[in-house]
């Protein structure tokens, strides 16, 4: 009880201090003003800071924090919008605005006009993202509801089967499988754990679902690949040839990827495919991996190597990117965040779909 009283006292003291700063700034709420100041270390915590922020935002200020510098910035006199953020199925979900944590739902945040990325990120579940543009014609108070997927992978599969969709492998598309509005190309990038992929493959097999699993060299466990293939799934190479080359030769930018470099990358990828096939069995398609080096360079492995290439020159029938994506509505759980959130589109029969799912983002709900 004593701790609670002390905490409330600190909140009140800081609130009064901030209000005093605001009021002494002179006409602060009638013309644009910015105040920035440091908060002592022993007072800087989420309980005190968030309480003060909520108080100031209620009276029209825009408050931002720099946690590293332990600084608070207060802006007033701007057109602003009071954003109320909730989640659909359950509250208490952490919310981030432009990668800054603002609290758990339901949460309110005052923002100025502009563009924002709002993310509901629930550990252990696949969450969602919203690209938000606040314009002068928008009401000063705006409410958004972000969906959060509480289902485990079994629940997700049962949902798409209930909707009447038929998942196929990437290789099935290139082998001219019939495509209807009820078709889903179901793909998995195995970035971290082969065991998670195997657990997911078994769940699909029990439901008569076949999909494609792309393994990196570092996740390609021969016994797992053998078992995944035996369950009827496609196995392919998740190649990162450009990223590996960049780390080896210290490429500085996309301009370093010359035509000669591209030719070398293509030669290397052809060799990789041969070696992968020798070690792990037949493969028919490949998928580009998005490594940190690709993000730094601003160029994907596909763009640097396979764009415009004939897959048959690599002794494969196709790739997971390129022309195939033009024929489907693409959805992905990259980063553990659905983009876009799939269920409204699935329910509205807006297929066919191409869905990329990473086993690592569903690991907490996979039965082994």
């Amino acid at each position: 009880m004593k701790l609670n009283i002390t905490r409330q006292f600190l909140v009140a003291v800081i609130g009064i201090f901030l209000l005093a700063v605001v009021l002494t700034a002179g006409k602060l709420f009638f013309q644009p003003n910015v105040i920035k100041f440091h908060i002592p270390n022993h007072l800087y915590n989420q309980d005190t800071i968030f309480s003060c922020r909520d108080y100031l935002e209620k009276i029209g200020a825009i408050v931002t924090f720099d946690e590293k510098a332990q600084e608070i910035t207060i802006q007033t006199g701007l057109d602003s919008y009071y954003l109320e953020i909730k989640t659909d199925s359950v509250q208490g979900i952490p919310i981030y605005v432009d990668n800054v944590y603002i609290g758990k739902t339901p949460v309110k945040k005052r923002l100025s006009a502009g563009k924002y990325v709002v993310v509901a990120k629930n550990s252990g579940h696949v969450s969602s993202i919203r690209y938000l543009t606040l314009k002068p014609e928008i009401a000063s108070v705006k409410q958004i509801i972000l969906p959060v997927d509480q289902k485990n992978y079994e629940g997700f599969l049962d949902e798409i089967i209930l909707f009447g969709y038929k998942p196929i492998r990437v290789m099935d598309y290139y082998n001219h499988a019939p495509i209807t509005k009820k078709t889903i190309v179901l793909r998995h990038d195995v970035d971290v754990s082969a065991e998670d992929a195997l657990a997911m493959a078994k769940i699909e097999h029990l439901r008569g679902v076949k999909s494609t699993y792309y393994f990196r060299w570092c996740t390609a466990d021969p016994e797992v690949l053998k078992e995944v293939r035996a369950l009827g799934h496609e196995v392919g190479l998740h190649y990162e040839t450009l990223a590996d080359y960049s780390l080896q030769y210290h490429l500085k930018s996309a301009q370093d990827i010359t035509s000669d470099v591209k030719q070398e990358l293509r030669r290397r990828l052809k060799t990789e495919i041969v070696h992968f096939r020798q070690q792990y069995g037949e493969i028919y398609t490949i998928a580009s991996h998005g490594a940190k080096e690709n993000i730094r360079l601003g160029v994907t492995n596909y763009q640097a190597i396979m764009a415009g290439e004939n897959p048959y020159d690599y002794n494969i029938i196709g790739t997971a990117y390129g022309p195939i994506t033009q024929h489907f509505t693409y959805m992905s759980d990259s980063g553990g965040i659905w983009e876009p959130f799939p269920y409204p589109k699935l329910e509205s029969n807006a297929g066919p779909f191409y869905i990329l799912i990473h086993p690592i983002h569903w690991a907490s709900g996979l039965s082994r």
Side-chain angles (χ1 to χ4, degrees), residues 169-171 186-188 210-214 234-236 285:
R169 302 165 296 186
V170 175
M171 63 180 288
L186 187 54
R187 163 188 159 197
H188 306 290
K210 295 180 180 180
S211 64
T212 297
Y213 287 81
Y214 291 112
E234 178 189 4
V235 168
T285 66

Side-chain angles (χ1 to χ4, degrees), residues 42-92:
H42 63 284
L43 295 180
Y44 196 99
N45 61 67
Q46 287 187 359
D47 292 317
T48 56
I49 296 302
F50 282 16
S51 296
C52 292
R53 180 200 68 187
D54 293 345
Y55 177 78
L56 289 170
E57 289 188 344
K58 284 180 181 178
I59 58 176
I62 298 172
V63 183
T64 55
F65 308 131
D66 183 336
E67 188 169 353
K68 186 175 182 180
Q70 293 186 329
E71 287 183 340
I72 292 181
T73 301
I74 302 174
Q75 295 175 282
T76 59
L78 299 173
D79 289 335
S80 63
Y81 308 87
Y82 209 25
L83 193 65
E84 183 177 358
I85 305 170
K86 297 181 179 180
T87 37
D88 60 349
S89 55
V90 63
Q91 301 306 312

Side-chain angles (χ1 to χ4, degrees), residues 62 81 83 97-98 110-118 130-134:
I62 298 172
Y81 308 87
L83 193 65
V97 176
D98 289 348
R110 187 172 290 278
L111 299 169
S112 60
K115 294 183 178 181
Y116 299 91
V117 179
V118 183
R130 176 76 60 84
Y131 297 98
L132 185 67
T133 300
L134 298 178

